[in-house]
Amino acid sequence: MIAPLTSIRLIFILMIFLFHCHVPYSENMGCYGVSFFFILSGFVLSLSYKQKVLSNDFNQKNSIRKGF
């Protein structure tokens, strides 16, 4: 389920890229691309952590260490 969502993030990355390249008619693409990219990334991360927590393979201390 995560792989299709990860590929959708590519579309939003392209929207942000086109905005930074000053492509005509891409004024709003950058704002929408960033918003949806962060929302979708948070959803993908929460799904991956959910799988680890349910399989008892989750260690909070190790997770915090990886974040830093």
Side-chain angles (χ1 to χ4, degrees), residues 38-66:
F38 279 119
I39 291 169
L40 196 56
S41 294
F43 185 70
V44 168
L45 285 172
S46 65
L47 278 179
S48 65
Y49 278 114
K50 178 184 174 186
Q51 292 172 354
K52 288 181 182 180
V53 169
L54 291 178
S55 68
N56 292 328
D57 190 32
F58 183 75
N59 186 345
Q60 188 174 9
K61 290 180 182 178
N62 289 340
S63 175
I64 292 172
R65 283 187 204 142
K66 288 179 184 179

Side-chain angles (χ1 to χ4, degrees), residues 9-58:
R9 290 191 317 177
L10 175 66
I11 295 169
F12 298 125
I13 291 170
L14 289 175
M15 289 171 65
I16 297 166
F17 178 76
L18 292 174
F19 171 76
H20 284 287
C21 290
H22 302 288
V23 174
Y25 305 107
S26 67
E27 293 87 18
N28 293 329
M29 290 174 69
C31 297
Y32 294 132
V34 168
S35 298
F36 286 116
F37 178 80
F38 279 119
I39 291 169
L40 196 56
S41 294
F43 185 70
V44 168
L45 285 172
S46 65
L47 278 179
S48 65
Y49 278 114
K50 178 184 174 186
Q51 292 172 354
K52 288 181 182 180
V53 169
L54 291 178
S55 68
N56 292 328
D57 190 32
F58 183 75

